[in-house]
Amino acid sequence: MSFTRKDLLGIEELSAGEIQSLLVAAVSFKEIIERNVKKVPTLRGKTIINLFLEPSTRTRISFELAGKYLSADVINISAGGSSVSKGESLLDTAKTLEAMKADYLVVRTPFAGAPLYLAKMVKSAVINAGDGAHEHPTQALLDLFTIQEKFQQIRSLKVAIIGDISHSRVARSNIWGLLKLGAEVTLIAPPTLLPIDIEKMGVKVRFKIDDELKKADLVYVLRLQRERQRGGLLPGLREYARLYGINSSRISKKAMVMHPGPLNQGIEIDDELAYGPRSLVTDQVTNGLAVRMAVLYLLVGKK
Ligand code: CP
């Protein structure tokens, strides 16, 4: 098992072995973040620039903390606080940051494919922190780590992913990752929120909640991405909550639930389940830190 890439752009291009290498490395970093003194010198002298052109709480802060725990210098840039707001292109921004000797560019953008383009144009390691509806690889890695931690193994696990699949980079990255590690994946969503031919990825599809959901060991609830949706995809939020909202009576008594956050509580998931004993939501957030430390380490720190 090894991981020798310059960039982390998506889960689709990773082998199962590369995913496992990242998850194994994250175990050591989880041990570090549970210490009283969390700082290690691994990335001393390295610079990480978080270029976030869309809002984020979890991903941006955990990349910042991950970099700081590894002793890197970390700079955060948002669209509003940079020359992007004056019309500078993403490439010019990335070239400027590269000229300042950034070792890493962590990029969140509404444009699918932009991190791949930048990775070809700059020497810095590019990490995709979410590109449009395409991929969110570190979210999938932290989810896989959380699943492995809880269930010990992912092979043959029955996972139901429910909600707004069409607009979800989290769903796409998780589907690739879960299938590569041998899980059985069922997608549940209204037809208007499912991409055409998604079955070709190797998943089952259901248009409404039925017995398939009760068979799931793990129910992964997606955020309804109202900011990305064109009008007319749903009759209304109340209707969506009634037909697809997850509560404990809809899932098996043994099933666990996950959600990438941020949550629309009371719409896709009810409050009691989201923060109750069957929820892995806070584990996901903590594990995000360990996984992002592992990604930073394996891309540049190891060298
Ligand atoms: N899950 C996720 O990407 O959350 P943020 O948008 O808060 O980073």
Side-chain angles (χ1 to χ4, degrees):
M1 284 196 289
S2 65
F3 190 88
T4 54
R5 291 174 183 262
K6 168 183 165 287
D7 312 288
L8 178 65
L9 303 173
I11 302 294
E12 181 177 2
E13 57 262 32
L14 300 187
S15 66
E18 286 177 300
I19 296 171
Q20 285 296 2
S21 296
L22 284 156
L23 301 183
V24 167
V27 174
S28 313
F29 290 108
K30 179 133 189 200
E31 187 265 314
I32 290 169
I33 63 173
E34 281 166 353
R35 293 181 193 164
N36 264 345
V37 178
K38 301 173 179 67
K39 216 162 176 93
V40 290
T42 313
L43 294 187
R44 195 156 52 201
K46 303 290 181 200
T47 304
I48 300 168
I49 301 194
N50 286 328
L51 177 58
F52 275 60
L53 306 180
E54 282 188 336
S56 167
T57 300
R58 292 151 199 78
T59 313
R60 191 189 65 69
I61 292 176
S62 63
F63 265 115
E64 181 172 354
L65 275 177
K68 287 180 171 169
Y69 289 164
L70 293 169
S71 302
D73 293 306
V74 186
I75 311 279
N76 296 305
I77 305 178
S78 64
S82 71
S83 292
V84 171
S85 65
K86 294 189 254 175
E88 185 169 60
S89 73
L90 185 56
L91 178 59
D92 281 346
T93 304
K95 283 281 187 194
T96 302
L97 301 174
E98 179 193 34
M100 292 181 198
K101 308 295 177 196
D103 296 288
Y104 304 83
L105 295 182
V106 181
V107 182
R108 171 166 289 192
T109 160
F111 304 112
L116 169 64
Y117 173 63
L118 294 183
K120 289 181 182 161
M121 304 301 283
V122 298
K123 291 191 202 73
S124 319
V126 175
I127 300 175
N128 180 3
D131 61 332
H134 175 225
E135 281 231 32
H136 191 348
T138 56
Q139 177 69 47
L141 290 169
L142 74 89
D143 291 333
L144 294 169
F145 183 89
T146 305
I147 297 168
Q148 200 150 279
E149 194 177 56
K150 182 72 198 170
F151 293 91
Q152 279 73 55
Q153 75 158 14
I154 295 177
R155 180 154 301 284
S156 301
L157 198 74
K158 291 184 170 46
V159 182
I161 303 179
I162 179 157
D164 184 358
I165 313 281
S166 287
H167 299 92
S168 179
R169 53 196 176 207
V170 172
R172 215 166 308 279
S173 290
N174 264 297
I175 293 167
W176 287 121
L178 286 163
L179 292 176
K180 282 171 197 265
L181 298 191
E184 295 171 23
V185 180
T186 302
L187 308 181
I188 305 172
T192 49
L193 296 182
L194 269 167
I196 294 166
D197 285 345
I198 188 98
E199 297 94 326
K200 288 188 180 154
M201 287 181 83
V203 294
K204 280 194 234 171
V205 169
R206 294 285 187 274
F207 295 134
K208 56 184 183 183
I209 288 179
D210 60 17
D211 288 349
E212 204 63 38
L213 183 61
K214 290 257 184 197
K215 289 185 210 155
D217 304 302
L218 173 69
V219 178
Y220 195 104
V221 185
L222 294 170
R223 183 170 71 88
L224 197 57
Q225 301 203 24
R226 286 176 282 174
E227 75 277 17
R228 290 191 210 282
Q229 286 178 10
R230 290 174 285 112
L233 293 178
L234 293 171
L237 290 183
R238 202 177 305 170
E239 183 76 348
Y240 181 85
R242 190 174 67 76
L243 294 174
Y244 295 95
I246 295 299
N247 56 46
S248 43
S249 70
R250 288 195 147 162
I251 63 178
S252 138
K253 286 192 168 43
K254 288 187 294 187
M256 302 299 290
V257 289
M258 293 172 72
H259 190 299
L263 282 85
N264 296 305
Q265 277 173 280
I267 298 178
E268 67 250 1
I269 188 163
D270 80 359
D271 295 11
E272 174 265 321
L273 193 57
Y275 288 107
R278 300 164 70 192
S279 166
L280 297 174
V281 169
T282 52
D283 303 78
Q284 287 172 269
V285 176
T286 305
N287 290 337
L289 205 42
V291 162
R292 288 176 177 122
M293 287 169 84
V295 168
L296 293 170
Y297 168 68
L298 287 177
L299 286 178
V300 174
K302 190 171 54 122
K303 295 167 197 145

